[in-house]
Amino acid sequence: MTDPFADPVPRASAPFQHLHPLSIVLKSIGTLGQNLFAIFVLHFSLFDRNILYTGLAAAALITLVVGVTTLIWSRFTYQVTAKEIRIKSGLLNRNNRSIPFDRIQDVSLEQKLISRLLGLATVALETGSGGGEDGKLDALARADAETLRDTIRDYKDGLKADDIEQAHDPDAAEAPPLFAMDNRRILIAGLFNFSFVLLAILGAVAQNLDFLLPDGFFDPGKWLDALRGTDFINGYSSWARIGGAIAAILALVVVGLVSGIVRTFVREYGFRLDKVVSGQPGFRRRRGLFTLTDMVMPIHRVQAAIVQTGPVRQRFGWHHLKFISLAADAHGETDHSAAPCARLSEIDPILTASAIHAPSSDLAFQPVNAAFWWRRAILLSLLFAAIALAAGLLLHRGFFAIALLILPLCPLLFLEWRHHQYALTDRQLFIQTGWWRRRLTILPRRKIQTVDVSQSPLDHPLNLATVSIGIAGGSAIRPVMIQTIGFAEAMDLRRQLIHQKDDQTASAE
């Protein structure tokens, strides 16, 4: 019987290959890691801590997982020809997929911790069709993964044989990076990435292991009753109680700082951004402690740049540069970090290499209408007043104080308004938003796809509008908005941006 998926023309020079045999180990470990927790739970519940039954269940699970993974590995093959990649997969429902090199937009490598120890890598192929990764080859040898990536890039770049040998010369010295971060810089970045992820993880673990905790551990009423029944706290003075509350707050701050530093080290360790000079110009980014990612972002796929900072971070001169790109990484993100913690002098060369330019010092930004803040202040005041009135009448008169929450919010709304500005030049649109999380979005006018002017019911009486600017990338990229400007001003801005697109289309024709 002939194979229905066999090539009509045999290609002896490009045989079908299996993934590295160690991929069976990697897949099995990943699957077992997701199911061993169930065995752990069964050990304490259904098996009543019987070691024999738990061991038999674990052995059966390991045998089943390894056996199924081996079958899947044996039925997964791939072929690399001069112009395409073919992938055959599936146990019962066989699938034969062909991915021409012409359709491939990005090729990225990823190495998780175990893969790095075993010298393996994952190759992710993305065609830009909007469905994420279109092909994925797990657990190739690192050298084979790099060869496959270089083969695809060389084909798309159209390099000659001599140029290919020169580009991949192992003895050639690596050029200095466009931007890199040492451990000290990563530590600084972590201090600004405050996070409570550690508390969330501990809470999730405690919730799943609640059968090991005392009864009523998560019942607040039980803890309150226990505190009322003792004189432990009442024996302290008022200053001691205040000091204890301050210490608890400081402990939370320390946990948040430590969580942010750990997350940043895991994600940004070894961060290096290089400029790709051979073939198609772009950026190559490598980073990661446990999972090493190696991706290339072509410059022509960069849609916009984002420079993020904050009042504290800006005070010390630190900024975070991101690129909005059509390319998606292994986690589906379209906002790619290009310089997570950098000075403006370090960001400028990266922007210049991407054909995007930072705003000049004398560029005049246009503020939005003051209704941006006072209209929100009035609405929040009415909301807090209604909540305070209902809670005060139904529950306790002390809840009338809820209405005072608007007092600290008004200055924040005012600062948000002061930092919401925009500026338009011949080539770019600049939009500033946020006070605590300051964000400067730089949009090349040639990349703008849509410009929408909308009015809410509250905008009509004041003749205001919101301008939404869309760039390529579909729903994965949110539109950039300029809120609360005059309607005539919004229509004039729309006309200028659309007129720019019309001029470019006419010149191209």
Side-chain angles (χ1 to χ4, degrees):
M1 181 177 179
T2 60
D3 185 0
F5 291 105
D7 288 329
V9 180
R11 297 172 179 167
S13 59
F16 276 91
Q17 307 175 59
H18 289 285
L19 300 177
H20 198 284
L22 288 177
S23 64
I24 300 175
V25 178
L26 291 178
K27 287 287 186 180
S28 299
I29 291 176
T31 305
L32 289 172
Q34 300 172 3
N35 292 275
L36 283 182
F37 182 76
I39 298 295
F40 181 75
V41 174
L42 291 175
H43 173 73
F44 287 94
S45 56
L46 183 62
F47 297 152
D48 196 21
R49 303 188 181 186
N50 190 302
I51 298 296
L52 177 61
Y53 292 159
T54 303
L56 291 175
L61 176 63
I62 294 174
T63 302
L64 177 63
V65 168
V66 174
V68 172
T69 303
T70 303
L71 285 175
I72 295 175
W73 173 84
S74 66
R75 300 292 287 170
F76 187 101
T77 57
Y78 71 97
Q79 178 193 51
V80 181
T81 67
K83 295 184 178 181
E84 68 175 1
I85 296 178
R86 298 185 62 186
I87 300 176
K88 296 180 180 180
S89 61
L91 290 177
L92 300 178
N93 297 325
R94 297 289 289 164
N95 181 36
N96 189 7
R97 182 189 311 171
S98 296
I99 307 177
F101 290 166
D102 291 328
R103 289 185 52 213
I104 297 175
Q105 299 293 334
D106 293 289
V107 184
S108 60
L109 303 185
E110 181 178 287
Q111 283 186 294
K112 296 184 178 180
L113 180 60
I114 299 179
S115 298
R116 295 173 68 178
L117 296 176
L118 298 177
L120 305 178
T122 296
V123 180
L125 310 173
E126 195 259 319
T127 64
S129 59
E133 294 173 353
D134 299 280
K136 192 173 184 179
L137 299 177
D138 287 315
L140 296 179
R142 173 76 187 194
D144 294 339
E146 292 179 347
T147 300
L148 176 58
R149 178 191 62 188
D150 295 338
T151 299
I152 297 174
R153 291 178 183 169
D154 294 338
Y155 173 86
K156 295 182 67 65
D157 295 339
L159 297 181
K160 299 179 181 179
D162 295 339
D163 296 332
I164 293 176
E165 292 180 0
Q166 183 178 1
H168 306 316
D169 184 5
D171 298 328
E174 191 171 23
L178 191 59
F179 177 79
M181 294 202 305
D182 55 14
N183 291 339
R184 176 181 174 275
R185 185 70 66 91
I186 297 175
L187 175 61
I188 294 174
L191 292 175
F192 294 111
N193 291 329
F194 191 86
S195 172
F196 283 122
V197 64
L198 182 59
L199 288 180
I201 293 175
L202 294 177
V205 172
Q207 287 284 356
N208 287 282
L209 299 178
D210 56 352
F211 57 87
L212 297 177
L213 300 175
D215 294 337
F217 184 83
F218 294 102
D219 184 7
K222 181 177 179 180
W223 288 100
L224 291 175
D225 293 338
L227 291 176
R228 294 192 190 101
T230 64
D231 295 330
F232 180 74
I233 295 180
N234 295 330
Y236 288 99
S237 64
S238 299
W239 287 108
R241 298 179 190 178
I242 295 175
I246 295 175
I249 296 174
L250 291 177
L252 289 176
V253 172
V254 171
V255 170
L257 290 174
V258 172
S259 298
I261 292 173
V262 171
R263 287 186 62 195
T264 305
F265 259 97
V266 170
R267 182 178 62 248
E268 309 293 356
Y269 180 80
F271 188 98
R272 180 187 175 99
L273 184 74
D274 295 284
K275 184 178 179 180
V276 178
V277 294
S278 62
Q280 195 174 72
F283 300 103
R284 181 186 181 188
R285 188 193 68 190
R286 287 168 282 183
R287 65 175 183 176
L289 180 60
F290 300 125
T291 300
L292 174 63
T293 59
D294 185 346
M295 66 164 293
V296 171
M297 179 171 46
I299 290 178
H300 75 274
R301 307 203 75 195
V302 174
Q303 303 299 302
I306 300 173
V307 181
Q308 295 178 333
T309 186
V312 180
R313 181 182 295 191
Q314 189 174 19
R315 175 67 179 81
F316 291 96
W318 299 112
H319 299 76
H320 185 175
L321 173 64
K322 291 183 176 181
F323 285 129
I324 298 179
S325 173
L326 293 177
D329 62 10
H331 304 286
E333 296 180 349
T334 54
D335 292 358
H336 300 291
S337 292
C341 188
R343 306 285 187 183
L344 289 178
S345 59
E346 297 172 320
I347 290 177
D348 287 341
I350 305 176
L351 289 176
T352 302
S354 65
I356 298 177
H357 303 283
S360 59
S361 58
D362 58 347
L363 181 63
F365 279 80
Q366 302 295 325
V368 300
N369 195 283
F372 178 90
W373 80 272
W374 61 256
R375 188 169 59 182
R376 298 184 181 185
I378 292 175
L379 293 176
L380 288 177
S381 298
L382 295 176
L383 176 62
F384 287 149
I387 296 176
L389 182 62
L393 294 176
L394 298 177
L395 300 176
H396 189 275
R397 289 182 299 175
F399 286 103
F400 286 133
I402 294 178
L404 299 177
L405 291 176
I406 191 59
L407 296 180
L409 288 179
C410 283
L412 295 178
L413 293 174
F414 180 80
L415 291 172
E416 288 285 321
W417 165 66
R418 290 294 301 270
H419 286 80
H420 190 25
Q421 304 173 339
Y422 74 96
L424 183 65
T425 64
D426 294 338
R427 295 185 177 182
Q428 297 179 149
L429 174 64
F430 302 88
I431 302 176
Q432 289 183 346
T433 57
W435 169 75
W436 183 253
R437 294 185 176 182
R438 301 177 183 180
R439 184 184 181 103
L440 172 64
T441 303
I442 308 175
L443 293 166
R445 294 175 65 166
R446 68 182 186 280
K447 298 288 187 178
I448 295 176
Q449 299 293 319
T450 60
V451 182
D452 298 328
V453 177
S454 60
Q455 287 184 297
S456 69
L458 295 177
D459 289 332
H460 285 286
L462 301 175
N463 199 27
L464 300 175
T466 295
V467 179
S468 300
I469 298 119
I471 54 181
S475 59
I477 299 178
R478 295 169 292 180
V480 182
M481 294 188 295
I482 304 174
Q483 303 182 51
T484 324
I485 62 175
F487 181 76
E489 183 181 356
M491 295 301 295
D492 181 64
L493 178 61
R494 176 183 178 274
R495 180 190 60 79
Q496 294 183 64
L497 295 176
I498 295 298
H499 181 66
Q500 171 80 7
K501 293 293 293 182
D502 294 339
D503 289 345
Q504 290 181 349
T505 302
S507 62
E509 294 176 354

